[in-house]
Amino acid sequence: MIKITSDSAKKRVSKAAELDRRQFIKASAALAAIPLIVSDRVAASATTAQVKEATEADTTRIIATCSTFDCGGKCDIRTHVKDGVVTRISTRPDAELDNDMPIMRGCVRGRSYRKFVYHPDRLKYPMKRVGKRGEGKFERISWDEATTLIADNLKRITAKYGPSSRYMHVATAVTGGAFSGDLMARRLLNLTGGYLESYHSVSMGNTAAATPYTYGTAASGSSLDTLAQTPLVILWGHNTTETIFGHSNHYFQQMKQNGTRFIVVDPRYSDTASSLADQWIPLLPSTDNALMDAMMYVIVTENLHDKAFIDRYTLGFDENSMPEGVPANESLVAYLRGAKDGIEKSPEWAEPITKVPAQIIRQLARDYANTKPAALIQGWGPQRHNCGERSARGSTLLATITGNVGIKGGWAAGYGGIGNRKFMSGPDLGSNSVTAKISVMNWVQAADDASQITPEQGLKGADKLDNNIRFLFSLAGNYLANQNPDLRQAVKIVEDESKIEFIVASDLYLTPSAKYADVLLPETSFMERWNIGQTWGTGNYILLSEKVIEPQFERRSDYEWLREVAAKLGVEQAFSEGRSEKEWIEHIVETTRLAMPEENMPTFGQLLVKRRHLFKSEPYVAFEQNIRDPQNHPFPTPSGKIEIFSKRLYDMHHPEIPALSHYVPAHEGPEDPLSQKYPLQLITWKGKTAPTQLSTRIPGYRKCRYRNYGSIRWMPENATFSAEIKCVSITIAVFLK
Ligand SMILES: Nc1nc2c(c(=O)[nH]1)N[C@H]1C(S)=C(S)[C@@H](COP(=O)(O)OP(=O)(O)OC[C@H]3O[C@@H](n4cnc5c(=O)[nH]c(N)nc54)[C@H](O)[C@@H]3O)O[C@H]1N2
Ligand SMILES: Nc1nc2c(c(=O)[nH]1)N[C@H]1C(S)=C(S)[C@@H](COP(=O)(O)OP(=O)(O)OC[C@H]3O[C@@H](n4cnc5c(=O)[nH]c(N)nc54)[C@H](O)[C@@H]3O)O[C@H]1N2
Ligand SMILES: [Mo]
């Protein structure tokens, strides 16, 4: 459970902390005044499409669309549609790439979406559970029966336990679109009394919560075009050749060609290490802070730190710059020199912990400190362990003591959200009369015994919870029994029918989580729906996600069946406002246009022709103002400075989230006594070919990870859990000894 929370990171209902990817329209004063000229490439691409169309069989139409998955790059997917069937997918040709803000070309995953959409395993009909919960036995039912079951259970459970017993689960698969079932389900729940909301993120929650303790905000990322001249980039647990992390790969490849040196720190020889790295530094998983500490030790003891920067902008570097009320020897320098524990955090100290040779640590530290500017960019893999807060803040300390914050070509590290983004408005969700919000990490507890969740454990908006979760919507999520930390505990609660009384899931496949549904609904894929796709922070545009094919079998979009449920609850008109799905998209385009008059956004009709809109933007360097003019622009921390030492964390007295980030052995990490018995540490990463996460696409395997954002690991479907270790897994094994 994450104790630290950040109000500034709350931006969107479903993934509250993913501020820069999913936030509603943000009109920032820092936005560029570059006039948007709709590029003549739009016309050019239409012409190319027409030419292609003419050369193919007459009946084939090429329709550009875009996935709405939770994927960092929104790519140009050109579907070749013949007789109502997608026969092929192509993408934007190289010649049509815009350099300023490139619309992504389809990656290997994007190019294979046809298989995702037409796979024979796709769910075809609504079903209800007939066996024990979780057994995976279902029976086909009609839509009428399905929506009646949902409406009746909603009524029954609400009457018995109240609206706070209704919970919306994580549904990241559709968060790349402006409109989705999980949003509309919230609207329906709000119209009928409210529901229990969660905040935080299973994806980047650790770093989003930890980064503000250094900088006052999680928006520590710059636009990637500012790195064009950076001579050295350290990609720390960042795998942008495989993981589509927005537009990172595009920029990094360009920088590589222009001579930037890349170092990759990753336990695994990733595609990024093989394709981009001049140097690959493997370390044992979850020991990142030991490497960081030793780097800082070298930098400080060899006088390579940026003293002027540290004096002017930071707090907690040495004993002279500590906040009031903190005893001696808590500063960074005191820690590195071992003032309290007698241990110098030297490369020789870190070598046996990390397995990185001391001379490599020395060289890495010197390279980073001596190259100006240098960008240490951390991915989210390392923070998805239960030491995640520490590694996220550790990288910010390195960036700070080398003066790489707020300068062009440097990088502040941490979460890396980019502060100048704009997004579409979403559908109006109405207001939720249930004020309580739980951390997403606490949903299992809330289903088991909600009275145990207190404000100290992250409950917001209320002192206590009145009800356990009794009704659960899992629409486009595989979180119940697959992506959740501590699956053993989660599954135990979910399979107990006396706890959560009714579970509704919609998916395209019978995933491990879908097996736990009481009613399981076959949703349409993005190719069978209208939507708007939007990029993560590293891109700045929207693409029309056009419905290119009709749904087959009895597949329906979540919105359609929710509308039927709304009718059965007597609120259909208020829920739908009479709009079809396509009309909702038109409406969202219109509300966004009104909210951003300066953007000169296309109307829906214009978007049908242009297919996209590039938001106005200019190069953006995080904290540039705070560094240029600290008097008028203090950092939004309590001290107004960059807090190397955080008094707020100090006052929290949490042994695992120290005020000064430093190495603490992680649970089930290399130093855990369990490693004697289980000498392999197993981690996973996001798959290059996975339509969403890998989980549903590799038969026989499912993913799991340890509670509190533990190591993400793979596990064979038939593996038995040992009592001691939370999950066992295969795929990548890192020897600990
Ligand atoms: N192709 C593809 N792209 C995707 C996704 C997908 O499923 N497929 N998912 C999208 C989503 S939702 C997200 S959040 C992002 C995720 O993007 P990331 O979180 O950056 O990606 P991961 O692959 O989870 O982790 C990055 C790297 O961290 C390494 N790593 C793991 N543990 C440690 C450690 O202890 N220390 C260090 N130094 N490194 C470690 C892994 O080996 C991996 O190479 O990707 C997005 N893009
Ligand atoms: N073990 C493990 N756990 C993890 C991660 C990990 O890498 N490993 N990654 C973490 C991260 S970064 C994230 S973002 C979360 C993601 O966790 P989830 O929210 O579960 O996301 P996905 O696995 O991407 O997709 C969920 C489901 O949506 C379905 N789906 C796809 N498209 C649609 C659609 O249009 N409609 C409907 N109804 N369903 C659809 C897919 O088939 C899939 O089963 O998991 C987190 N937990
Ligand atoms: Mo994610």
Side-chain angles (χ1 to χ4, degrees):
M1 206 252 341
I2 301 298
K3 289 222 168 148
I4 50 176
T5 55
S6 151
D7 280 333
S8 66
K10 267 191 295 165
K11 288 283 152 77
R12 185 179 187 267
V13 276
S14 57
K15 289 173 85 178
E18 297 216 1
L19 71 169
D20 295 298
R21 292 165 37 188
R22 296 289 300 165
Q23 99 200 83
F24 281 36
I25 306 159
K26 180 172 176 190
S28 155
L31 269 165
I34 304 171
L36 176 85
I37 299 155
V38 176
S39 151
D40 54 5
R41 288 182 199 284
V42 173
S45 65
T47 319
T48 318
Q50 279 154 11
V51 171
K52 277 199 195 133
E53 203 175 324
T55 57
E56 295 199 23
D58 279 345
T59 50
T60 298
R61 292 175 59 222
I62 299 172
I63 309 171
T65 187
C66 166
S67 93
T68 48
F69 292 128
D70 183 19
C71 173
K74 282 287 155 271
C75 57
D76 182 332
I77 297 289
R78 298 189 180 178
T79 54
H80 298 231
V81 184
K82 188 177 176 183
D83 301 331
V85 175
V86 179
T87 55
R88 198 185 140 208
I89 287 175
S90 59
T91 189
R92 178 169 289 251
D94 276 346
E96 288 174 21
L97 286 181
D98 316 60
N99 258 333
D100 293 348
M101 176 40 68
I103 304 283
M104 297 290 284
R105 288 167 49 92
C107 70
V108 61
R109 166 167 80 140
R111 302 285 284 268
S112 64
Y113 282 150
R114 215 163 54 87
K115 292 188 176 135
F116 178 71
V117 170
Y118 289 115
H119 200 284
D121 289 352
R122 257 188 82 177
L123 300 174
K124 300 181 177 70
Y125 310 103
M127 296 191 287
K128 76 172 183 206
R129 172 170 69 84
V130 288
K132 267 178 53 161
R133 196 186 270 158
E135 236 181 355
K137 289 195 186 139
F138 291 95
E139 171 183 288
R140 181 176 167 184
I141 52 173
S142 67
W143 273 108
D144 183 47
E145 195 181 340
T147 52
T148 301
L149 270 170
I150 298 168
D152 287 353
N153 276 286
L154 267 173
K155 278 190 224 159
R156 179 182 66 78
I157 288 171
T158 313
K160 191 164 168 196
Y161 302 105
S164 67
S165 66
R166 315 190 298 182
Y167 183 64
M168 267 309 305
H169 217 329
V170 178
T172 63
V174 286
T175 54
F179 185 78
S180 59
D182 77 303
L183 291 177
M184 291 311 272
R186 286 179 163 84
R187 181 178 161 95
L188 178 61
L189 291 171
N190 281 342
L191 280 170
T192 55
Y195 65 99
L196 179 64
E197 183 54 276
S198 66
Y199 65 93
H200 234 307
S201 162
V202 297
S203 169
M204 28 48 74
N206 274 340
T207 184
T211 304
Y213 285 92
T214 305
Y215 296 125
T217 167
S220 58
S222 304
S223 60
L224 295 175
D225 50 3
T226 61
L227 297 179
Q229 308 301 324
T230 301
L232 175 68
V233 171
I234 302 175
L235 296 180
W236 199 300
H238 204 19
N239 181 25
T240 55
T241 307
E242 281 166 281
T243 300
I244 305 301
F245 205 97
H247 289 60
S248 305
N249 192 34
H250 170 89
Y251 286 101
F252 294 164
Q253 297 294 344
Q254 259 181 1
M255 287 155 61
K256 175 84 185 164
Q257 276 170 24
N258 294 338
T260 299
R261 180 166 174 245
F262 280 86
I263 300 176
V264 169
V265 180
D266 199 308
R268 198 169 61 86
Y269 191 61
S270 62
D271 280 9
T272 306
S274 66
S275 69
L276 208 55
D278 295 278
Q279 186 180 12
W280 168 50
I281 301 180
L283 79 174
L284 291 186
S286 77
T287 66
D288 298 79
N289 281 94
L291 179 57
M292 292 169 178
D293 292 350
M295 283 173 72
M296 290 194 276
Y297 178 90
V298 174
I299 291 169
V300 170
T301 54
E302 297 187 5
N303 255 321
L304 306 177
H305 52 293
D306 187 334
K307 290 178 214 57
F309 184 95
I310 291 168
D311 286 349
R312 187 150 187 222
Y313 302 109
T314 75
L315 185 82
F317 177 73
D318 59 23
E319 293 299 299
N320 299 323
S321 68
M322 290 295 284
E324 298 273 305
V326 179
N329 295 329
E330 295 287 344
S331 67
L332 174 64
V333 171
Y335 163 74
L336 295 174
R337 302 308 310 239
K340 265 172 43 184
D341 60 7
I343 301 168
E344 303 256 345
K345 309 305 175 307
S346 65
E348 284 69 22
W349 161 80
E351 178 173 323
I353 300 173
T354 59
K355 293 277 156 61
V356 182
Q359 77 273 18
I360 300 274
I361 301 177
R362 253 188 203 98
Q363 165 251 310
L364 177 64
R366 289 172 185 156
D367 286 357
Y368 179 54
N370 286 327
T371 314
K372 302 284 180 198
L376 189 168
I377 307 179
Q378 204 175 30
W380 296 341
Q383 59 88 54
R384 247 180 257 119
H385 292 276
N386 56 19
C387 57
E389 302 92 345
R390 300 194 291 273
S391 75
R393 276 194 80 232
S395 64
T396 65
L397 305 196
L398 270 162
T400 296
I401 67 166
T402 53
N404 275 304
V405 179
I407 55 165
K408 189 172 177 203
W411 193 264
Y415 170 56
I418 300 174
N420 73 340
R421 280 299 320 279
K422 287 190 173 183
F423 290 89
M424 300 293 292
S425 56
D428 184 354
L429 305 186
S431 59
N432 189 349
S433 52
V434 177
T435 53
K437 281 188 185 184
I438 55 169
S439 159
V440 71
M441 306 310 292
N442 275 344
W443 73 272
V444 176
Q445 178 72 67
D448 185 20
D449 180 3
S451 69
Q452 300 298 310
I453 303 177
T454 60
E456 290 72 50
Q457 288 171 314
L459 180 64
K460 290 188 181 180
D463 293 336
K464 61 182 183 54
L465 288 172
D466 306 326
N467 298 292
N468 290 4
I469 295 172
R470 299 291 181 178
F471 185 105
L472 183 145
F473 271 129
S474 173
L475 312 182
N478 186 8
Y479 197 63
L480 285 176
N482 199 83
Q483 317 278 67
N484 191 66
D486 203 346
L487 278 177
R488 260 159 60 91
Q489 185 210 7
V491 163
K492 203 173 105 211
I493 301 301
V494 175
E495 71 190 4
D496 182 345
E497 291 162 38
S498 73
K499 300 273 182 200
I500 307 176
E501 294 184 10
F502 203 69
I503 299 178
V504 180
S506 81
D507 204 296
L508 272 58
Y509 292 93
L510 182 61
T511 63
S513 302
K515 283 186 181 160
Y516 289 84
D518 294 307
V519 167
L520 176 57
L521 304 171
E523 231 225 311
T524 46
S525 72
F526 72 92
M527 286 194 198
E528 297 142 349
R529 299 193 293 258
W530 285 94
N531 212 332
I532 305 284
Q534 37 196 1
T535 60
W536 285 13
T538 54
N540 212 357
Y541 57 79
I542 54 158
L543 290 182
L544 181 66
S545 176
E546 177 159 345
K547 175 179 176 180
V548 292
I549 47 174
E550 287 302 320
Q552 295 179 321
F553 301 97
E554 288 187 14
R555 291 171 190 141
R556 280 195 192 179
S557 76
D558 285 347
Y559 175 60
E560 275 179 54
W561 63 257
L562 281 166
R563 220 175 150 172
E564 211 167 284
V565 174
K568 289 176 182 173
L569 296 174
V571 293
E572 200 283 328
Q573 187 51 35
F575 175 67
S576 73
E577 293 179 9
R579 291 189 192 100
S580 67
E581 193 155 57
K582 188 176 177 188
E583 285 163 345
W584 270 101
I585 305 306
E586 290 188 52
H587 173 70
I588 287 169
V589 171
E590 212 38 48
T591 47
T592 310
R593 272 167 51 77
L594 291 175
M596 292 196 267
E598 76 290 356
E599 268 294 332
N600 201 13
M601 293 265 304
T603 61
F604 185 73
Q606 289 164 337
L607 205 56
L608 283 174
V609 180
K610 291 179 178 158
R611 324 298 301 180
R612 62 172 184 174
H613 174 71
L614 305 184
F615 289 116
K616 295 174 190 173
S617 60
E618 66 179 2
Y620 176 84
V621 175
F623 308 123
E624 196 261 335
Q625 266 191 334
N626 312 81
I627 295 302
R628 191 168 25 83
D629 182 10
Q631 242 57 50
N632 292 312
H633 299 278
F635 279 83
T637 52
S639 64
K641 300 210 163 188
I642 301 175
E643 299 195 346
I644 293 173
F645 178 96
S646 166
K647 179 76 167 28
R648 281 183 294 170
L649 287 179
Y650 183 79
D651 292 338
M652 234 183 257
H653 301 295
H654 193 301
E656 296 189 2
I657 315 175
L660 178 83
S661 280
H662 65 267
Y663 178 66
V664 180
H667 298 291
E668 294 190 4
E671 292 195 48
D672 193 308
L674 278 171
S675 65
Q676 298 299 327
K677 196 167 170 193
Y678 302 98
L680 295 175
Q681 168 97 38
L682 299 133
I683 58 171
T684 61
W685 64 98
K686 302 283 191 287
K688 157 169 72 179
T689 54
T692 52
Q693 315 303 332
L694 269 173
S695 50
T696 57
R697 306 304 318 130
I698 309 243
Y701 285 84
R702 61 184 173 140
K703 294 184 282 184
C704 72
R705 50 181 195 167
Y706 177 55
R707 81 193 138 87
N708 295 355
Y709 294 97
S711 318
I712 294 172
R713 303 148 189 228
W714 282 80
M715 185 184 69
E717 190 91 68
N718 56 359
T720 48
F721 291 107
S722 99
E724 295 153 294
I725 206 153
K726 299 291 176 196
C727 55
V728 197
S729 46
I730 324 184
T731 295
I732 168 187
V734 180
F735 281 95
L736 299 179
K737 303 289 157 197

